[in-house]
Amino acid sequence: MDIMLFHSAYGLTPSVEAAAERLRSAGHQVWTPDLYDGKTVGTVEEGVALRDEIGKDELLKRAVLAAAPYSERGLVYMGLSLGASIAQTLALGDEKARGLLLFHGTSDLAESASVDELPVQLHVAEPDPFETDDWLSSWYLQMRKAGADVEIYRYRGAGHVYTDPELPDWDAEAAERTWSVALSFLDTL
């Protein structure tokens, strides 16, 4: 499977590269575009500030430019937190997308969003301050309305970016369960 993996608000950190290596070890080809031009940050607040400094439109432009050379292959779009919202936007706009794998985040959907049974899997903490229960219920219904085949996995007690061993949110058990389910999902695409 060809996977375009977008980093979180922390930037293209070693843990993102480790996630990509985990996917490559499972037989996938993975690209990890650096939407922050080499910058990384140490806190979510710094990440939000950098995201805002660059701007959402510029981040999406960079993501589209990174994915464009490979989109004909039928990419699986994958993202971590902020990267999940970017992956979702690109997957919903790419008619050749093979799947969407989201860790720790989602994004708004356009009312006109439409896909043809796009396989979507979301892994998120429970509770998650950025992905509230009400938001996730609404997001799920909107994704289904758009035509996506959606699965949501919640991890009680985990922190927001619980798959990242470099962060305080790290939850080894939840991360291993997430990766097990996610790798099985990729095998079905």
Side-chain angles (χ1 to χ4, degrees):
M1 200 59 41
D2 293 322
I3 301 171
M4 186 65 55
L5 172 59
F6 294 105
H7 61 73
S8 73
Y10 292 91
L12 189 59
T13 62
S15 63
V16 177
E17 292 296 351
E21 282 307 312
R22 187 173 196 151
L23 293 162
R24 289 179 186 117
S25 294
H28 305 289
Q29 184 158 3
V30 184
W31 294 273
T32 56
D34 185 350
L35 304 181
Y36 283 1
D37 289 332
K39 295 179 183 172
T40 59
V41 298
T43 68
V44 70
E45 294 80 14
E46 291 172 332
V48 168
L50 183 54
R51 175 201 70 193
D52 292 346
E53 177 186 319
I54 295 169
K56 183 177 180 179
D57 289 344
E58 179 62 23
L59 288 172
L60 283 174
K61 177 182 169 188
R62 292 175 183 184
V64 167
L65 290 172
Y70 311 104
S71 65
E72 285 296 314
R73 300 173 181 226
L75 291 171
V76 172
Y77 292 92
M78 180 178 178
L80 311 169
S81 192
L82 167 67
S85 73
I86 292 168
Q88 177 184 307
T89 300
L90 267 62
L92 293 178
D94 181 353
E95 63 186 30
K96 292 186 185 260
R98 304 262 318 264
L100 175 59
L101 181 56
L102 306 173
F103 282 17
H104 323 299
T106 62
S107 184
D108 294 330
L109 276 78
E111 189 66 34
S112 61
S114 177
V115 293
D116 187 16
E117 297 183 12
L118 179 71
V120 177
Q121 192 175 87
L122 168 64
H123 297 269
V124 65
E126 181 180 18
D128 187 311
F130 300 102
E131 302 290 329
T132 65
D133 291 344
D134 288 346
W135 167 259
L136 287 173
S137 294
S138 175
W139 176 84
Y140 175 82
L141 292 172
Q142 290 175 343
M143 287 295 280
R144 294 290 300 152
K145 181 181 172 193
D149 181 11
V150 184
E151 300 175 339
I152 299 177
Y153 294 86
R154 306 288 307 269
Y155 300 87
R156 183 167 293 287
H160 176 60
V161 187
Y162 63 86
T163 60
D164 188 331
E166 297 177 357
L167 299 177
D169 289 346
W170 168 244
D171 183 317
E173 183 182 329
E176 281 309 307
R177 284 189 290 141
T178 295
W179 276 109
S180 176
V181 172
L183 291 170
S184 294
F185 170 72
L186 291 170
D187 287 344
T188 68
L189 303 179

